[in-house]
Amino acid sequence: MPAFLTDDWFSTVETLTAQAGDLNLPPALANLAINLVVTDTSGNTELALDGGKILKGLSSNAKTTLNMDADTLRKVFLEFDMAAAMQAFMTGKIKVQGDMSQLMALQTAKPSQEQKDLFKKVLELTA
């Protein structure tokens, strides 16, 4: 199991995403791109949620960037814990730069079963 946010982890995510095929996303998620900057003791890791997929590096399509720690990222984007997302936002663990309407779309959009299954596999293979 690769450690979260390492190069091996991103390779595993890329493979699982390719195997998953069509994620059958609702339009609100299919057209959404958000950059994520995760700060930890070793520095920053940049990734994006673009078209329902986790991608290494920042997306040029994104109008919003979220800054957070790795634990918050795991809870919000892999475990779909919206209560944790709201708490992290209210306590300043998630900082937002850019278009806030993107967050509203993310909050109200429901992930497809295919996307939930993909993220569940990613979580299972994450150390």
Side-chain angles (χ1 to χ4, degrees), residues 5 21 32 36-37 40 43 52-53 59-61 64 66 68 78 93 108 112 114 120 122 125:
L5 301 177
L32 183 69
L36 304 160
V37 178
D40 59 25
K53 299 173 184 172
S59 170
S60 60
N61 299 325
T64 307
L66 303 180
M68 68 188 75
L78 293 182
K93 283 189 169 186
T108 58
S112 66
E114 292 86 347
K120 182 180 178 188
V122 168
L125 295 175

Side-chain angles (χ1 to χ4, degrees), residues 33-92:
I34 294 180
N35 285 329
L36 304 160
V37 178
V38 180
T39 304
D40 59 25
T41 54
S42 61
N44 290 345
T45 302
E46 296 177 337
L47 63 151
L49 181 66
D50 193 346
K53 299 173 184 172
I54 298 170
L55 306 172
K56 185 176 182 179
L58 300 179
S59 170
S60 60
N61 299 325
K63 297 176 184 160
T64 307
T65 299
L66 303 180
N67 294 278
M68 68 188 75
D69 61 52
D71 188 48
T72 302
L73 176 72
R74 181 190 296 250
K75 285 179 184 169
V76 174
F77 288 95
L78 293 182
E79 298 174 13
F80 294 110
D81 186 341
M82 290 303 115
M86 189 58 69
Q87 182 178 11
F89 181 73
M90 299 303 274
T91 59

Side-chain angles (χ1 to χ4, degrees), residues 27-34 49-52 61 101-103 105-107 109:
L29 282 179
N31 299 321
L32 183 69
I34 294 180
L49 181 66
D50 193 346
N61 299 325
S101 68
Q102 298 284 301
L103 290 185
L106 186 61
Q107 185 179 8

